[in-house]
Amino acid sequence: MYLDPASSGTRTTIDVTMRERRFGLEQNLWNRVRAAFPSQTCSTLRLEQSGGDHLLLIVDENRAFRFPRPGKHGLGLEISVLECLRGQARVAIPAYDLVDPDGGFAGYPLIPGVQLTPARFSALSIDAGRTVLADTLVMLKLLHALEPHLVMPIDRWPRMWSSGQFADRIANERLLLLANRLPVLAMPIAAFLDRYRIDRAPRDIVLHGDLVCDHLLIDETTDRLAGIIDFSDVALGDPAHDLLGFWTYGAPAAAYAVKCCADADTDPTLFARSHRHFVRYEIDRLYESIVDGASDRTIQQHGTKVIELIAASLRADPITGEYDG
């Protein structure tokens, strides 16, 4: 009889080891908090490791401490931008009130709410959905209107990757794995990257940098936007990049977001670029799901979605983004 180690005691041992390592990391991070702020106490700890550039330690489900990963953005710029927005925002944003003197981490009162997933958005009434979008876009307009030199000298601002840089990473580092797993993707992705890499924005502005459903929180009791979180990727870049997340809620939501954008009247390719950013984002998510060991069914379904998105993008007008079907 063949014994699959992944479904036997070996898997149990691996799971136990991972839990032990996770517990050890939680305790290590909490010890750093206690060393900097001895008055802090806790009954429960919960570690979130899904952020690519940081670890998030949740204490007693009412306070979050963010620890940037080595080599990633520090906290200084994020905190400065949030301070500029404070008092103007219609919704809650992180209010860092415990900042490590050495700059290694910072904490803020946890913003209550749940992620505004596509399923939750679809369950909202038309009026509630429009209100959630409007509140998000008010905040986005405030962010995009910031004068970057008033926050930090321009030459010290990080820059969001260009479409060409994102395209190069997929072509040079990710396409081989994607094509090996789903050969039908090779030609469509290559064709898409040829078009995507030449996108340019008329101007760079201050971006959230990762405005996707994971970082929009909704109050389930009121169906109102509760908060916007994770400004750790704040940078200068293409305004269309901050609009890609609205495509997860459907084309009408994305069209509404673009229409409300301050640059809508002066940037005729904004809508089309936002869709191409979204397609690239979904290609990257597919790659990450393969690396993370997602099931064959999940990968096949996501691959089919990517092919459909690429087809829509390639048959769209490259300026307006409009297409038939």
Side-chain angles (χ1 to χ4, degrees):
M1 177 180 177
Y2 173 72
L3 183 63
D4 181 3
S7 61
S8 65
T10 302
R11 168 60 67 86
T12 302
T13 300
I14 292 173
D15 289 345
V16 170
T17 301
M18 291 180 64
R19 285 197 297 270
E20 289 175 345
R21 289 178 179 173
R22 184 185 184 91
F23 177 77
L25 182 55
E26 287 176 349
Q27 289 301 311
N28 177 56
L29 296 177
W30 175 241
N31 289 340
R32 290 175 61 185
V33 172
R34 287 277 295 164
F37 305 104
S39 64
Q40 290 295 298
T41 61
C42 85
S43 299
T44 63
L45 295 174
R46 177 166 59 87
L47 183 63
E48 291 286 346
Q49 301 186 71
S50 58
D53 56 4
H54 67 274
L55 299 173
L56 195 68
L57 186 67
I58 310 298
V59 179
D60 292 342
E61 298 300 323
N62 60 25
R63 178 169 285 277
F65 288 93
R66 193 170 78 77
F67 295 79
R69 295 180 189 269
K72 301 297 183 180
H73 295 172
L75 290 159
L77 179 58
E78 176 185 359
I79 292 174
S80 295
V81 167
L82 289 168
E83 284 300 317
C84 290
L85 297 174
R86 188 101 40 232
Q88 302 181 68
R90 184 183 295 179
V91 299
I93 55 178
Y96 287 103
D97 56 356
L98 294 175
V99 181
D100 173 32
D102 295 329
F105 66 90
Y108 62 89
L110 199 66
I111 299 172
V114 296
Q115 293 178 354
L116 183 58
T117 62
R120 288 195 175 102
F121 182 82
S122 296
L124 297 174
S125 68
I126 293 176
D127 287 343
R130 187 176 292 113
T131 298
V132 166
L133 291 176
D135 287 347
T136 304
L137 291 162
V138 167
M139 182 67 207
L140 198 58
K141 280 185 177 180
L142 292 172
L143 179 63
H144 287 182
L146 285 181
E147 295 288 349
H149 68 276
L150 298 179
V151 180
M152 177 184 290
I154 294 293
D155 60 356
R156 292 175 55 195
W157 271 83
R159 299 280 173 164
M160 179 62 62
W161 276 16
S162 67
S163 295
Q165 288 173 306
F166 278 118
D168 286 344
R169 181 176 67 178
I170 294 173
N172 299 331
E173 303 175 21
R174 302 188 167 190
L175 185 54
L176 181 60
L177 177 63
L178 288 162
N180 282 341
R181 189 62 181 270
L182 296 170
V184 70
L185 282 174
M187 291 183 63
I189 290 180
F192 169 75
L193 295 180
D194 285 343
R195 177 62 191 85
Y196 177 59
R197 70 172 64 254
I198 63 175
D199 274 343
R200 299 288 186 276
R203 68 183 186 116
D204 287 345
I205 62 173
V206 178
L207 302 178
H208 178 282
D210 198 13
L211 193 66
V212 293
C213 62
D214 297 358
H215 303 141
L216 300 178
L217 303 179
I218 189 172
D219 183 333
E220 288 188 296
T221 62
T222 64
D223 287 345
R224 295 295 299 266
L225 188 70
I228 301 175
I229 60 173
D230 196 350
F231 287 71
S232 60
D233 288 317
V234 66
L236 299 182
D238 180 2
H241 191 278
D242 266 355
L243 302 176
L244 72 85
F246 293 96
W247 283 96
T248 63
Y249 306 126
Y256 178 74
V258 170
K259 181 180 178 181
C260 294
C261 186
D263 285 6
D265 294 334
T266 58
D267 186 352
T269 67
L270 184 62
F271 183 77
R273 293 200 320 276
S274 73
H275 186 256
R276 287 190 284 270
H277 280 308
F278 175 61
V279 177
R280 187 274 310 162
Y281 170 77
E282 287 295 336
I283 293 172
D284 280 334
R285 285 185 63 232
L286 174 59
Y287 170 85
E288 290 159 4
S289 70
I290 293 173
V291 171
D292 291 341
S295 69
D296 287 342
R297 180 180 180 183
T298 296
I299 291 171
Q300 288 289 342
Q301 290 176 338
H302 201 160
T304 299
K305 176 182 179 180
V306 166
I307 289 174
E308 292 172 350
L309 287 171
I310 290 174
S313 177
L314 292 178
R315 70 174 181 265
D317 183 303
I319 303 243
T320 67
E322 296 176 354
Y323 62 91
D324 182 13

